[in-house]
Amino acid sequence: MTLKEAKDDDFDQKVVETSKEKPVLVDFWASWCMPCKQLKPTIEEIGKERDDIDVVKVNIDEAEEKPQEYGVRSVPNVNLFVDGEVVESFVGNRSKEDINEWIDENI
């Protein structure tokens, strides 16, 4: 299990560089966002249960540059990075089963 938090200054290291070794699931979220709060335990469970990916959470109120760079306009916004690039993303809350299936289809 690898569950991390990233900000603008360490995003490239924790996400982009790491994704060249293994896929990285990035959850862009905010503390004031109710769907983000609903998605949080699901994302954390996935991070604990899957060894084939890293999970990185990015609070958009603490990191403003990277969410803007990756076109985050609403949260929760989940991106899957592989080989340094976003290969797929979704916005909103989903079930753990749906997210795991989505990951498997895209890695």
Side-chain angles (χ1 to χ4, degrees):
M1 171 217 81
T2 308
L3 185 61
K4 304 174 186 173
E5 291 189 19
K7 296 185 180 174
D8 288 332
D9 62 344
D10 59 359
F11 184 91
D12 288 342
Q13 161 76 44
K14 290 182 176 178
V15 176
V16 178
E17 292 305 315
T18 300
S19 75
K20 294 175 182 176
E21 306 290 321
K22 74 187 319 190
V24 179
L25 182 77
V26 179
D27 175 21
F28 290 101
W29 67 282
S31 60
W32 44 263
C33 163
M34 190 53 67
C36 297
K37 291 178 182 180
Q38 295 168 334
L39 184 61
K40 180 181 178 180
T42 303
I43 294 292
E44 290 176 353
E45 281 180 40
I46 290 169
K48 290 176 184 171
E49 293 172 359
R50 294 189 70 133
D51 292 328
D52 59 334
I53 64 168
D54 277 5
V55 174
V56 177
K57 297 184 65 59
V58 179
N59 183 334
I60 64 165
D61 292 327
E62 296 174 4
E64 297 176 2
E65 291 173 19
K66 292 301 176 178
Q68 189 173 20
E69 181 179 327
Y70 288 99
V72 175
R73 299 217 185 327
S74 59
V75 289
N77 187 307
V78 179
N79 290 267
L80 186 62
F81 283 74
V82 177
D83 295 325
E85 302 287 332
V86 176
V87 294
E88 193 60 65
S89 63
F90 70 84
V91 175
N93 196 358
R94 289 190 179 182
S95 71
K96 186 168 114 178
E97 294 77 21
D98 285 348
I99 296 171
N100 275 316
E101 184 177 313
W102 175 81
I103 293 167
D104 291 337
E105 289 172 359
N106 290 289
I107 59 172

